[in-house]
Amino acid sequence: MVKIKRVYEKPSEDDGRRFLVDRLWPRGLTKEELGAVLWLKDLAPSNELRRQFHHEPERWEEFRKRYLEELEGRKELVRRIIEEAGSGNVTLLYAAKDTSHNNAVVLKEFISYL
Protein backbone atom coordinates (compact mmCIF):
# COMPACT_ATOMS: atom_id res chain seq x y z
CA MET A 1 0.00 0.00 0.00
CA VAL A 2 1.27 3.48 -0.91
CA LYS A 3 0.38 6.27 1.51
CA ILE A 4 1.24 9.94 1.62
CA LYS A 5 2.04 11.93 4.73
CA ARG A 6 3.34 15.33 5.65
CA VAL A 7 6.98 15.03 6.70
CA TYR A 8 6.28 16.97 9.90
CA GLU A 9 3.82 14.34 11.16
CA LYS A 10 5.09 11.77 13.62
CA PRO A 11 6.20 8.48 12.09
CA SER A 12 4.00 5.49 12.82
CA GLU A 13 4.65 1.77 12.64
CA ASP A 14 2.27 1.33 9.71
CA ASP A 15 4.25 3.84 7.59
CA GLY A 16 6.52 1.07 6.36
CA ARG A 17 9.40 2.26 4.18
CA ARG A 18 9.48 6.06 4.12
CA PHE A 19 10.55 8.11 1.08
CA LEU A 20 11.04 11.89 1.06
CA VAL A 21 9.89 12.97 -2.42
CA ASP A 22 10.64 16.71 -2.29
CA ARG A 23 13.50 18.41 -4.14
CA LEU A 24 14.42 20.53 -1.10
CA TRP A 25 15.14 19.26 2.40
CA PRO A 26 12.25 20.20 4.74
CA ARG A 27 12.83 23.28 6.85
CA GLY A 28 13.60 22.79 10.50
CA LEU A 29 14.22 19.04 10.34
CA THR A 30 17.47 17.16 10.68
CA LYS A 31 18.25 13.81 9.13
CA GLU A 32 18.38 12.35 12.62
CA GLU A 33 14.84 13.57 13.34
CA LEU A 34 13.50 11.88 10.21
CA GLY A 35 15.24 8.60 10.94
CA ALA A 36 15.32 5.91 8.26
CA VAL A 37 14.07 7.94 5.32
CA LEU A 38 15.31 7.55 1.77
CA TRP A 39 15.45 10.93 0.02
CA LEU A 40 14.45 10.60 -3.65
CA LYS A 41 14.96 14.21 -4.69
CA ASP A 42 15.44 13.18 -8.33
CA LEU A 43 11.83 11.98 -8.28
CA ALA A 44 10.57 15.41 -7.21
CA PRO A 45 9.27 17.98 -9.70
CA SER A 46 11.97 19.91 -11.55
CA ASN A 47 13.03 23.21 -10.03
CA GLU A 48 11.34 25.06 -12.90
CA LEU A 49 8.03 23.28 -12.35
CA ARG A 50 8.25 23.61 -8.58
CA ARG A 51 8.81 27.36 -8.84
CA GLN A 52 6.07 27.82 -11.40
CA PHE A 53 3.48 25.97 -9.28
CA HIS A 54 4.51 27.67 -6.01
CA HIS A 55 1.71 25.71 -4.26
CA GLU A 56 -1.01 27.88 -5.74
CA PRO A 57 -4.18 25.78 -6.15
CA GLU A 58 -5.24 27.65 -9.30
CA ARG A 59 -2.10 26.29 -10.99
CA TRP A 60 -2.76 22.73 -9.83
CA GLU A 61 -4.05 21.20 -13.07
CA GLU A 62 -1.14 22.50 -15.13
CA PHE A 63 1.33 21.39 -12.45
CA ARG A 64 -0.26 17.92 -12.28
CA LYS A 65 -0.15 17.48 -16.05
CA ARG A 66 3.47 18.60 -16.36
CA TYR A 67 4.67 16.58 -13.37
CA LEU A 68 3.03 13.43 -14.75
CA GLU A 69 4.98 14.07 -17.97
CA GLU A 70 8.22 14.43 -15.99
CA LEU A 71 7.53 11.19 -14.15
CA GLU A 72 7.28 9.32 -17.46
CA GLY A 73 11.05 9.81 -17.78
CA ARG A 74 11.75 8.62 -14.23
CA LYS A 75 10.03 5.25 -14.20
CA GLU A 76 13.09 3.45 -12.84
CA LEU A 77 12.97 5.49 -9.63
CA VAL A 78 9.21 4.98 -9.40
CA ARG A 79 9.69 1.22 -9.78
CA ARG A 80 11.88 1.25 -6.69
CA ILE A 81 8.93 2.50 -4.67
CA ILE A 82 6.62 -0.06 -6.28
CA GLU A 83 9.05 -2.87 -5.41
CA GLU A 84 9.12 -1.75 -1.79
CA ALA A 85 5.32 -1.55 -1.73
CA GLY A 86 5.19 -5.16 -2.89
CA SER A 87 6.57 -6.27 0.46
CA GLY A 88 4.79 -3.83 2.78
CA ASN A 89 3.55 -0.31 3.25
CA VAL A 90 5.31 2.64 1.68
CA THR A 91 4.85 6.26 2.73
CA LEU A 92 5.67 9.21 0.46
CA LEU A 93 6.69 12.22 2.56
CA TYR A 94 6.23 15.83 1.47
CA ALA A 95 6.64 19.18 3.23
CA ALA A 96 3.89 21.29 1.64
CA LYS A 97 1.14 22.60 3.91
CA ASP A 98 -1.56 21.83 1.32
CA THR A 99 -2.49 18.17 1.74
CA SER A 100 -4.48 18.04 -1.52
CA HIS A 101 -2.23 19.94 -3.92
CA ASN A 102 1.33 18.62 -3.69
CA ASN A 103 3.72 16.43 -5.64
CA ALA A 104 3.19 13.35 -3.43
CA VAL A 105 -0.49 13.30 -4.47
CA VAL A 106 0.53 13.25 -8.15
CA LEU A 107 3.26 10.66 -7.56
CA LYS A 108 0.82 8.34 -5.79
CA GLU A 109 -1.57 8.74 -8.72
CA PHE A 110 1.25 7.92 -11.17
CA ILE A 111 2.20 4.81 -9.19
CA SER A 112 -1.39 3.59 -9.34
CA TYR A 113 -1.24 3.68 -13.16
CA LEU A 114 1.88 1.47 -13.38
Side-chain angles (χ1 to χ4, degrees):
M1 174 193 243
V2 177
K3 305 182 319 178
I4 60 174
K5 187 175 196 177
R6 198 154 182 256
V7 72
Y8 300 103
E9 294 178 42
K10 268 189 123 172
S12 63
E13 285 190 29
D14 68 332
D15 283 350
R17 184 72 165 124
R18 294 163 41 97
F19 295 94
L20 176 60
V21 295
D22 284 348
R23 177 128 343 243
L24 305 175
W25 188 261
R27 288 183 185 161
L29 291 178
T30 65
K31 291 182 180 183
E32 291 77 28
E33 289 171 318
L34 282 184
V37 171
L38 182 59
W39 186 16
L40 297 178
K41 66 180 172 180
D42 291 333
L43 200 50
S46 64
N47 280 325
E48 175 190 350
L49 183 56
R50 182 180 59 79
R51 288 184 189 117
Q52 180 189 25
F53 175 46
H54 199 61
H55 298 287
E56 295 181 26
E58 61 273 8
R59 297 179 181 176
W60 171 250
E61 284 306 318
E62 180 65 21
F63 169 79
R64 184 185 157 278
K65 177 182 168 241
R66 289 188 54 205
Y67 184 38
L68 286 169
E69 290 170 0
E70 287 185 1
L71 288 170
E72 282 293 329
R74 302 177 188 159
K75 285 185 179 175
E76 286 305 311
L77 283 172
V78 175
R79 283 191 180 95
R80 182 170 186 180
I81 294 171
I82 293 170
E83 287 172 13
E84 290 279 347
S87 60
N89 288 344
V90 166
T91 300
L92 307 176
L93 301 173
Y94 65 93
K97 292 178 184 177
D98 188 332
T99 59
S100 301
H101 303 99
N102 64 70
N103 61 299
V105 170
V106 180
L107 179 55
K108 182 179 178 182
E109 175 187 350
F110 186 78
I111 289 170
S112 72
Y113 292 143
L114 296 180

